[in-house]
Amino acid sequence: MKRFLPLCAALLASGSAAFAQYTNLLENATTQVVNSAWTTNTITVGGTTSGNLLYLDTGAVVTSSNAVVGGSASASNNTAYIAEDGVSWTIQTTLSLGGGANNAVLVADGGTVSVGDLVIASSNQLFRLASGGTLKVANDFDAGMDGFRWDADSTLSVGGALDGMAVSNGAAFLNEGRDLVID
């Protein structure tokens, strides 16, 4: 018992870093605001339920192995919002948007999402790379896939092959102030 008390005191004194302050499964209309560093396994925003929100706020630096926004057919209207200067979410493997209707990821205003792969199950899902946002894809990427919206003044960085670009006179081109980085 004497050895246990100093350990408890040390954990309490170290603050929230010693305890899990975030949950990686958001269900039943849960809203979670992340504003610090967080490393976890798979993050699921609405695996089977609707109306869940993951908001990465100022100071958030998140790393997860995978991420799912809208898991099953009953999971609708779930959102991940990464739109603050310096906020980042690194997904080491795959970010999947699927499930029911209207699941979305919004990246804007200095926010960055880095993924191995981005999978969008259908056109009624939305990954929006809005003004000031950055998407970094480590592998091949189809910028023309259903559900992917690439707005002006945003940056897409692709480590593999890029497909789905607008074509005019046989050449792919960028318009509306979009930035593209081929790593």
Side-chain angles (χ1 to χ4, degrees):
M1 185 70 162
K2 289 181 181 179
R3 292 181 189 174
F4 181 71
L5 289 175
L7 174 61
C8 288
L11 287 173
L12 289 172
S14 68
S16 62
F19 300 99
Q21 61 183 2
Y22 303 118
T23 179
N24 61 345
L25 177 60
L26 281 69
E27 294 287 2
N28 301 312
T30 299
T31 295
Q32 177 164 261
V33 177
V34 177
N35 58 8
S36 62
W38 178 33
T39 300
T40 190
N41 293 322
T42 299
I43 295 175
T44 302
V45 181
T48 60
T49 64
S50 298
N52 300 287
L53 171 65
L54 175 63
Y55 182 88
L56 302 190
D57 202 0
T58 303
V61 179
V62 177
T63 302
S64 63
S65 56
N66 290 292
V68 176
V69 179
S72 70
S74 62
S76 298
N77 301 308
N78 297 292
T79 304
Y81 188 78
I82 305 91
E84 297 285 340
D85 192 35
V87 168
S88 69
W89 187 5
T90 300
I91 302 156
Q92 296 167 334
T93 309
T94 303
L95 168 58
S96 298
L97 275 85
N102 303 317
N103 295 299
V105 174
L106 172 68
V107 185
D109 300 328
T112 299
V113 170
S114 302
V115 299
D117 293 295
L118 174 61
V119 175
I120 302 173
S122 66
S123 61
N124 63 356
Q125 315 303 328
L126 175 65
F127 185 102
R128 183 172 178 198
L129 183 56
S131 179
T134 299
L135 172 62
K136 298 178 180 180
V137 181
N139 299 316
D140 296 349
F141 186 69
D142 181 358
M145 80 171 93
D146 286 343
F148 179 71
R149 182 170 167 190
W150 183 10
D151 292 352
D153 301 319
S154 59
T155 301
L156 172 63
S157 175
V158 178
L162 176 66
D163 195 13
M165 299 296 296
V167 176
S168 177
N169 295 324
F173 68 95
L174 295 173
N175 58 8
E176 298 178 1
R178 295 179 178 119
D179 293 321
L180 174 65
V181 177
I182 306 288
D183 287 335

